[in-house]
Amino acid sequence: ADGYYQYQMDECVHSTSDYSDMVYLRSLSFNKDVDVQFNSTVGKYVGLTEFGVKQAEYFNKNQALVQGMKASVDTACRPNAQNSDSSVRDKT
């Protein structure tokens, strides 16, 4: 199909049962190439392409945005992981 393909992917990654190593990732892609990514461990947006570097600089200037993204570990990732894990444990 002709056209452009732009998407955002949000991920919460952890390997311990107490979620102490929880990391929140947001990747912004265009035509299957990841341009820019936020990593809660790094604490800022990182550009992965020439265009992504410009996007990262722009996003990182907005401290309210960056602080909100950092908080996503506690506001979105951990609660959802706990709900998901408890529903799996209840069925085993």
Side-chain angles (χ1 to χ4, degrees):
D2 293 335
Y4 298 105
Y5 186 64
Q6 181 177 359
Y7 65 98
Q8 169 183 309
M9 184 167 64
D10 296 296
E11 298 176 88
C12 297
V13 181
H14 68 92
S15 60
T16 60
S17 60
D18 66 354
Y19 314 116
S20 60
D21 64 341
M22 182 72 70
V23 177
Y24 173 69
L25 303 170
R26 172 172 284 177
S27 301
L28 303 175
S29 301
F30 182 74
N31 285 351
K32 299 183 181 180
D33 292 326
V34 178
D35 287 321
V36 64
Q37 185 176 62
F38 179 84
N39 180 323
S40 63
T41 303
V42 176
K44 65 179 184 176
Y45 285 90
V46 176
L48 305 173
T49 64
E50 184 178 345
F51 178 65
V53 169
K54 293 175 185 176
Q55 286 183 300
E57 290 172 1
Y58 176 78
F59 292 145
N60 289 328
K61 288 179 185 176
N62 184 341
Q63 285 303 303
L65 172 65
V66 172
Q67 292 303 320
M69 295 297 289
K70 287 180 187 177
S72 293
V73 170
D74 295 319
T75 60
C77 289
R78 284 194 181 98
N80 285 322
Q82 290 167 343
N83 287 339
S84 175
D85 288 354
S86 67
S87 65
V88 170
R89 269 189 244 111
D90 292 345
K91 294 189 185 331
T92 56

